[in-house]
């Protein structure tokens, strides 16, 4: 099956320096726009079986980790800052959630190696695979990302942590700073709430649930401190290989 990787890019004319939540600075050419690349669902597919020559294998076993992003490398290389939706747990396959199909995992070391090689700076974790192996898998993911300095957002040890946006700080040409904030959100699905316990709460870790009213309150609060805040609602929702739904249209307009 042919897989399609969807990306959007923003060319932000904010200046020549960026830091993100304490990450190292990155220089761009003087006077050039700052290029922020926003990518879609990313997973190296250890959990996807394919058939090659009559044998069942996986794409990683057949082609290696470098294969998935090989032809996207020129696009990724042109970005000054790259954010992807990491739709997998960086953990070893283990007993997962009861009755849940399509559980995803990725080898932490080899995944991080590829993300670093292609200049990925941050990943969203508010999706329907981040907790495929429960909080054990999510904590493994946090540890792997933290070890290699890749930022994450949209999931946390509690709802407060999961709600925190990724903030990219971009000084402007006039010497001031402009901030871009990514708010990661996973649409509400009853089964993921009642059976899988994916959504973070005051006492439990997980992903950030999409809540328009709460999103609006958080944006207002951040904009009181940073009036020029550029906000990106980074939502995980909808159906695979299908066009947007009426639900998405309604929620997108509200966001």
């Amino acid at each position: 099956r042919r897989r399609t990787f969807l990306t959007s890019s923003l060319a932000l004319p904010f200046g020549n320096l960026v830091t993100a939540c304490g990450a190292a600075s990155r220089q761009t050419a003087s006077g050039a726009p700052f290029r922020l690349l926003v990518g879609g669902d990313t997973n190296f597919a250890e959990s996807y079986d394919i058939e090659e020559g009559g044998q069942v294998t996986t794409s990683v076993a057949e082609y290696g980790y470098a294969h998935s992003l090989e032809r996207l490398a020129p696009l990724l290389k042109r970005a000054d800052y790259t954010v992807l939706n990491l739709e997998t747990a960086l953990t070893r396959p283990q007993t997962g959630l009861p009755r849940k199909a399509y559980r995803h995992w990725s080898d932490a070391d080899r995944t991080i190696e590829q993300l670093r090689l292609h200049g990925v700076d941050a990943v969203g974790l508010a999706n329907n695979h981040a907790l495929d192996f429960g909080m054990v898998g999510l904590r493994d993911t946090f540890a792997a990302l933290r070890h290699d300095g890749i930022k994450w957002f949209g999931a946390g040890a509690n709802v407060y942590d999961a709600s925190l946006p990724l903030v990219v700080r971009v000084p402007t040409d006039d010497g001031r700073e402009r901030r871009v904030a990514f708010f990661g959100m996973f649409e509400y699905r009853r089964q993921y709430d009642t059976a899988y316990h994916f959504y973070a709460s005051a006492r439990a870790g997980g992903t950030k649930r999409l809540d328009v009213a709460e999103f609006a309150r958080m944006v207002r609060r951040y904009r009181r401190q940073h009036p020029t805040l550029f906000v990106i609602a980074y939502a995980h929702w909808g159906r695979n290989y299908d066009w947007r739904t009426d639900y998405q249209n309604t929620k997108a307009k509200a966001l």
Side-chain angles (χ1 to χ4, degrees):
R1 173 182 291 178
R2 178 178 296 170
R3 296 193 177 278
T4 303
F5 183 96
L6 302 178
T7 63
S8 299
S9 61
L10 265 60
L12 305 177
F14 293 157
N16 61 0
L17 177 69
V18 62
T19 62
C21 300
S25 303
R26 181 174 302 178
Q27 297 286 343
T28 61
S30 179
F34 176 74
R35 300 187 183 279
L36 176 61
L37 182 65
V38 185
D41 303 340
T42 304
N43 174 13
F44 288 91
E46 287 92 330
S47 51
Y48 281 103
D49 291 337
I50 61 173
E51 186 174 332
E52 290 287 340
Q55 299 294 318
V56 176
T57 182
T58 66
S59 61
V60 165
E62 188 71 16
Y63 304 111
Y65 272 75
H67 176 74
S68 295
L69 297 178
E70 180 181 9
R71 295 193 180 186
L72 290 165
L75 173 67
L76 293 164
K77 190 176 296 184
R78 290 197 298 271
D80 297 299
Y81 198 89
T82 299
V83 180
L84 302 179
N85 179 43
L86 185 63
E87 199 176 7
T88 185
L90 301 183
T91 190
R92 295 181 179 180
Q94 54 192 291
T95 302
L97 299 177
R99 303 180 303 280
K100 187 179 189 297
Y102 303 108
R103 289 182 288 132
H104 292 181
W105 68 88
S106 285
D107 180 273
D109 292 337
R110 288 185 285 183
T111 295
I112 294 292
E113 179 183 30
Q114 288 300 313
L115 296 180
R116 274 297 182 204
L117 179 65
H118 293 285
V120 176
D121 299 280
V123 295
L125 297 178
N127 59 63
N128 60 307
H129 288 289
L131 275 86
D132 277 1
F133 296 95
M135 280 304 298
V136 171
L138 186 60
R139 284 192 290 267
D140 286 347
T141 302
F142 292 160
L145 295 170
R146 184 185 298 113
H147 181 267
D148 284 86
I150 295 177
K151 304 298 178 182
W152 72 85
F153 61 102
N158 52 53
V159 70
Y160 173 78
D161 288 343
S163 301
L164 293 175
L166 169 74
V167 179
V168 182
R169 301 186 184 97
V170 185
T172 58
D173 289 333
D174 61 6
R176 299 181 181 182
E177 186 178 73
R178 182 77 183 270
R179 300 189 180 203
V180 179
F182 287 82
F183 289 85
M185 298 170 280
F186 173 33
E187 70 176 347
Y188 182 73
R189 300 178 186 177
R190 182 181 298 275
Q191 189 174 28
Y192 282 78
D193 183 11
T194 60
Y196 305 151
H197 309 295
F198 255 54
Y199 302 105
S201 67
R203 297 184 178 181
T207 64
K208 178 66 180 74
R209 174 179 168 178
L210 194 160
D211 183 322
V212 173
E214 184 178 354
F215 169 72
R217 286 193 297 270
M218 291 189 68
V219 170
R220 285 195 296 269
R221 186 165 71 245
Y222 273 82
R223 279 197 169 134
R224 281 196 293 269
Q225 298 176 335
H226 308 288
T228 63
L229 187 71
F230 189 102
V231 174
I232 297 176
Y234 197 72
H236 190 79
W237 53 7
R239 295 191 290 261
N240 288 336
Y241 317 117
D242 204 354
W243 193 233
R244 62 177 178 260
T245 64
D246 291 340
Y247 166 87
Q248 287 172 282
N249 279 331
T250 300
K251 290 293 184 182
K253 290 176 182 177
L255 291 169

